[in-house]
């Protein structure tokens, strides 16, 4: 959720790219993107392999384990009881065969069958995905608004305001989701009764969960944006805009902000992954449906196909989002080379 | 950050007064230190004594943090929970940092194919939400304090490993290492005498930062019911137990959460201060 390292700041080429011919720049960008896609596929294959062998690590006979997870009991099973399980999960085949089947399933979008619910994992996730993705996107949108307003108001206004501004950034970025969520729940749902206590899927029910995800994210992005904002305020184009008689607010909104938000654009791909994992906690607090609550239930009952399905799904979303950000970034600012 | 301020006494630049913001941090560390060694000194009640007549009382003079559903004194439970909470936080930070050193060193110093593979792996894992890695581990091993330590450690290691890798590479390419190579020192001696000390010194500060983060992560897992189970006064378990009574007794969740947030902020403040001190020392 929060990382203290600042090494995920974008790599901005200090000097403009040398005056290379346009086609060759496009070609090298294309080659780099192709490289990224290949490494993304390798990464997903690696994640899937780890996930598959993780399932083999469950102690005991797998058919017995699956049946016990399903019924919620721990007992010895007769061969007659185990037979349908072995047939359904293909446990009579060699591990290599199972592994290949598993990979083939992933390629066509089949994550296997839940141990607990005996339904395809994709069906379970498909029902819940929309709620979580909506929550993530609303949270990212809110965090952008909060971050832009807060930074524009407090950055570059002298040491005192700056100290308060960045202090709030640090505290906000460090707030654990569970605690923030509970405070919001206590104050706005139980105290003031502005919002429903049990989330629900209506528009009123999404406000508090989304805020819970958005506030730490806004604090985190504000740290990166603030540095960039203060640097941009000292650029020559700001001086020239001021000399043209432009007011302070207009300079901030029209010139400085555009430069300052670039690092936050880079972070947005990461933010999608972060909010998806933050949703695990938030959905639990607000009793919202979604893949987060599916994941917690699955971890509790050791329903590994579901856990693996969620992890793989988030990995895919994450990889795709970051590729999109990389592409968007080179389009926004051609000086930025793909690193 | 303080480069513009002239040093008051140039002869002893390191003897600067600690900033005022460290005072509350130091006070909390002192308090937790006592709670760690001798919790009975600080506690006002027996943390496990049941008293159903005094159940779910709000904070008062008799019960500073209120009481839980069985009438146990929350303040005393928080004090007695310090040991386990800190043990999990320190353990996870140690696991994470040890993993980070091994992976970071491999990525920076290993033979080329190994280094490239580890580097790639780190890039991916760094980006991947740590909570999901932790949950995957717990799904396999089942919830317990030990799993919690391992899960949080594994979740946080990749980020720090990238930092270690960067530090080692910077030291490896520095002038003093080139000088040592030119002097004909052996590879092992250069590594031990120059590269590792310089690359690993910043990790002291990182460890402080990491303890705070690890406690927050670990308590998130407990909060989800995937860590230490409720009868224990571990802070995350207090949160988990208090959730049931959030409507009647909000303090059961708010106060343990506040303690965790305070500790995390303290660790961050101390870590940053240490970091700044180390950077000043290097100049």
């Amino acid at each position: 959720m929060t990382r203290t390292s600042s090494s995920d700041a974008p790599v901005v080429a200090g000097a403009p790219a040398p005056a290379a011919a346009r086609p060759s720049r496009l070609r090298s960008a294309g080659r780099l993107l192709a490289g990224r896609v290949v490494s993304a596929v390798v990464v997903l294959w690696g994640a899937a392999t780890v996930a598959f062998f993780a399932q083999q690590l469950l102690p005991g006979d797998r058919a017995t384990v699956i049946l016990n997870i399903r019924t919620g009991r721990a007992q010895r099973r007769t061969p007659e009881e185990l037979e349908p399980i072995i047939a359904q999960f293909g446990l009579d085949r060699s591990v290599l065969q199972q592994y290949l089947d598993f990979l083939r399933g992933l390629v066509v979008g089949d994550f296997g069958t839940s141990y607990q619910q005996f339904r395809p994992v994709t069906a379970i996730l498909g029902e819940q995905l929309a709620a979580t993705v909506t929550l993530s996107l609303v949270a990212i949108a809110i965090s952008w608004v909060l971050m832009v307003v807060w930074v524009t108001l407090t950055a570059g206004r002298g040491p005192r305001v700056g100290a308060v501004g960045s202090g709030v950034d640090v505290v906000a970025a460090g707030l654990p989701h569970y605690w923030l969520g509970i405070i919001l729940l206590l104050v706005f749902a139980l105290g003031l009764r502005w919002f429903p206590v049990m989330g629900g899927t209506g528009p009123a029910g999404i406000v508090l969960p989304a805020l819970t995800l958005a506030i730490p994210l806004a604090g985190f992005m504000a740290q990166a944006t603030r540095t960039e904002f203060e640097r941009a305020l000292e650029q020559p184009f700001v001086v020239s805009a001021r000399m043209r008689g432009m007011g302070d607010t207009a300079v901030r909104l029209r010139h400085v902000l555009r430069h300052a938000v670039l690092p936050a654009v880079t972070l947005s791909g990461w933010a999608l992954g972060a909010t998806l994992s933050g949703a695990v906690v938030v959905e639990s607090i607000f009793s919202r449906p979604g893949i987060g609550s599916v994941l917690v239930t699955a971890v509790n009952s050791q329903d590994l196909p579901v856990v693996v399905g969620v992890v793989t799904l988030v990995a895919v979303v994450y990889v795709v989002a970051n590729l999109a950000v990389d592409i968007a970034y080179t389009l926004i600012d051609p000086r930025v080379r793909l690193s | 950050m303080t480069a513009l301020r002239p040093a008051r006494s140039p002869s002893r630049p390191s003897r600067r007064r600690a900033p005022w913001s460290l005072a509350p941090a130091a006070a909390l560390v002192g308090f937790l230190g006592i709670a760690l060694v001798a919790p009975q000194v600080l506690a006002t009640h027996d943390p496990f004594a049941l008293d159903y007549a005094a159940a779910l009382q709000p904070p008062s003079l008799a019960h500073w943090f209120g009481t839980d559903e069985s009438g146990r004194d929350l303040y005393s439970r928080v004090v007695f929970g310090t040991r386990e909470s800190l043990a999990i936080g320190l353990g996870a930070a140690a696991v994470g940092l040890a993993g980070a050193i091994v992976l970071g060193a491999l990525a920076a110093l290993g033979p080329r194919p190994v280094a490239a593979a580890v580097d790639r792996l780190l890039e991916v894992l760094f980006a991947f939400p740590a909570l999901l890695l932790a949950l995957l581990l717990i799904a396999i091993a089942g919830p317990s304090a030990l799993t919690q330590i391992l899960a949080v450690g594994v979740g946080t290691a990749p980020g720090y490993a990238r930092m270690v890798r960067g530090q080692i590479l910077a030291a490896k390419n520095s002038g003093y290492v080139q000088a040592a190579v030119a002097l004909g020192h052996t590879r092992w001696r250069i590594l031990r005498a120059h590269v590792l000390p310089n690359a690993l010194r910043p990790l002291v500060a990182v460890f402080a930062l990491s303890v705070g983060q690890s406690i927050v992560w670990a308590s998130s897992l407990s909060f989800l019911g995937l860590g230490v189970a409720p009868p224990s006064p571990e802070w995350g378990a207090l949160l988990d137990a208090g959730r049931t009574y959030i409507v009647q007794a909000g303090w059961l969740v708010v106060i343990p959460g506040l303690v965790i947030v305070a500790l995390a902020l303290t660790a961050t403040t101390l870590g940053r201060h240490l970091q700044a001190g180390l950077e000043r020392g290097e100049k």
Side-chain angles (χ1 to χ4, degrees):
Chain A
M1 282 173 271
T2 51
R3 303 218 185 237
T4 45
S5 160
S6 59
S7 55
D8 44 5
V11 180
V12 180
R22 230 181 119 66
S24 94
R25 202 188 72 204
L26 278 179
R27 206 182 310 140
S28 72
R31 202 183 306 141
L32 273 163
L33 276 183
R36 289 239 153 160
V37 173
V38 169
S39 73
V41 169
V42 171
V43 161
L44 290 177
W45 169 71
T49 305
V50 170
F52 175 81
F53 286 101
Q55 301 185 37
Q56 308 290 324
L57 285 178
L58 276 187
D61 172 56
R62 271 188 77 206
T64 309
V65 169
I66 293 170
L67 194 56
N68 282 339
I69 286 173
R70 188 191 179 190
T71 53
R73 270 184 252 150
Q75 60 187 72
R76 294 179 74 86
R77 300 288 178 173
T78 58
E80 293 78 50
E81 280 180 303
L82 294 177
E83 205 168 341
I85 309 266
I86 291 174
Q88 187 178 2
F89 288 89
L91 296 176
D92 47 349
R93 280 168 295 169
S94 70
V95 172
L96 184 68
Q97 188 76 45
Q98 290 182 39
Y99 174 61
L100 292 178
D101 282 346
F102 173 76
L103 286 186
R104 193 179 314 132
L106 286 189
V107 172
V108 297
D110 174 11
F111 291 123
T113 308
S114 158
Y115 290 167
Q116 197 180 24
Q117 306 188 29
F118 263 41
R119 290 196 299 147
V121 173
T122 35
I124 299 171
L125 297 186
E127 288 161 12
Q128 310 287 342
L129 188 62
T132 303
V133 170
T134 312
L135 176 63
S136 284
L137 294 179
V138 172
I140 292 175
I142 294 178
S143 74
W144 266 91
V145 173
L146 290 176
M147 183 272 284
V148 165
V149 170
W150 181 244
V151 170
T152 313
L153 284 177
T154 58
R157 301 221 190 260
R160 286 198 182 182
V161 179
V164 171
S166 58
V168 170
D169 295 350
V170 172
V171 172
L175 286 177
H177 286 129
Y178 57 80
W179 195 67
L180 181 60
I182 277 172
I183 298 290
L184 291 177
L185 187 74
L186 283 176
V187 174
F188 293 105
L190 291 171
L192 300 171
R193 298 184 180 280
W194 289 357
F195 299 103
V197 177
M198 300 295 264
T201 42
I206 207 171
V207 176
L208 292 182
L211 265 179
T212 307
L213 288 173
I215 290 174
L217 183 59
F220 196 73
M221 291 200 299
Q223 291 175 333
T225 308
R226 182 177 304 276
T227 320
E228 209 53 34
F229 199 97
E230 287 175 351
R231 197 177 298 158
L233 270 176
E234 286 159 17
Q235 295 289 317
F237 58 77
V238 170
V239 179
S240 85
R242 290 231 165 91
M243 277 165 61
R244 288 201 305 274
M246 196 180 240
D248 186 52
T249 314
V251 168
R252 280 167 182 263
L253 290 178
R254 283 175 55 191
H255 293 286
V256 177
L257 198 57
R258 181 182 298 197
H259 287 255
V261 296
L262 273 177
V265 171
T266 323
L267 284 179
S268 287
W270 168 86
L272 193 61
T275 48
L276 284 178
S277 82
V280 175
V281 173
V282 169
E283 286 173 357
S284 164
I285 298 171
F286 293 95
S287 318
R288 267 180 72 83
I291 54 170
S293 39
V294 169
L295 181 60
V296 173
T297 317
V299 170
N300 255 324
S301 55
Q302 300 203 307
D303 191 349
L304 274 173
V306 174
V307 178
V308 168
V310 173
V311 171
T312 317
L313 188 69
V314 174
V316 170
V317 169
Y318 188 82
V319 165
V320 171
N322 275 299
L323 263 178
V325 166
D326 280 344
I327 295 169
Y329 213 69
T330 39
L331 293 181
I332 294 173
D333 186 348
R335 288 179 309 175
V336 178
R337 295 199 212 114
L338 288 168
S339 58
Chain B
M1 281 201 286
T2 52
L4 290 177
R5 202 187 303 152
R8 236 165 253 156
S9 61
S11 57
R12 286 157 71 196
S14 60
R15 278 271 169 167
R16 237 170 255 182
R17 281 186 52 183
W20 59 267
S21 60
L22 280 186
L28 188 66
V29 168
F31 184 86
L32 291 179
I34 300 173
L36 196 64
V37 182
Q40 62 279 6
V41 176
L42 294 171
T44 53
H45 294 72
D46 178 350
F48 300 103
L50 304 180
D51 178 7
Y52 289 99
L56 296 179
Q57 283 184 1
S60 64
L61 277 179
H63 298 284
W64 297 348
F65 289 176
T67 59
D68 70 3
E69 73 280 5
S70 313
R72 290 173 293 198
D73 180 57
L74 184 61
Y75 166 73
S76 305
R77 285 178 69 72
V78 167
V79 168
F80 270 85
T82 308
R83 196 173 285 171
E84 202 168 358
S85 304
L86 282 184
I88 290 175
L90 287 168
V95 168
L97 222 53
I101 290 173
V102 171
L103 287 173
L106 272 179
L109 301 168
R112 187 168 287 236
V114 176
V118 174
D119 195 22
R120 194 72 308 184
L121 180 77
L122 287 182
E123 201 172 297
V124 173
L125 286 181
F126 169 68
F128 201 74
L131 184 63
L132 291 189
L133 280 184
L135 286 179
L136 187 61
L137 209 86
I138 292 173
I140 296 163
S144 73
L146 187 65
T147 325
Q148 208 172 1
I149 290 174
L150 283 177
V152 174
V154 167
T156 51
Y160 296 124
R162 271 170 57 111
M163 197 185 293
V164 171
R165 173 180 170 273
Q167 295 281 356
I168 292 180
L169 284 181
K172 204 171 119 187
N173 298 329
S174 65
Y176 54 81
V177 166
Q178 283 172 6
V181 172
L183 284 171
H185 291 175
T186 60
R187 233 180 110 77
W188 173 243
R189 179 171 168 191
I190 294 171
L191 192 67
R192 211 188 32 172
H194 300 292
V195 175
L196 288 184
N198 280 295
L200 300 186
R201 195 183 307 137
L203 292 183
V204 178
V206 169
F207 187 75
L209 290 171
S210 174
V211 171
Q213 253 195 323
S214 297
I215 287 176
V216 170
W217 280 107
S219 57
S220 295
L221 293 176
S222 298
F223 178 80
L224 291 172
L226 301 173
V228 179
S232 149
E234 192 262 337
W235 299 338
L238 290 181
L239 287 172
D240 188 24
R243 283 177 74 183
T244 321
Y245 302 95
I246 182 164
V247 179
Q248 309 97 300
W251 61 87
L252 285 180
V253 183
V254 173
I255 291 177
L258 196 61
V259 173
I260 294 168
V261 172
L263 179 62
L265 281 176
T266 298
T268 311
T269 316
L270 290 179
R272 296 232 163 127
H273 186 71
L274 268 173
Q275 217 163 18
L278 285 170
E279 274 165 20
R280 266 204 305 275
E282 273 169 23
K283 275 175 195 158

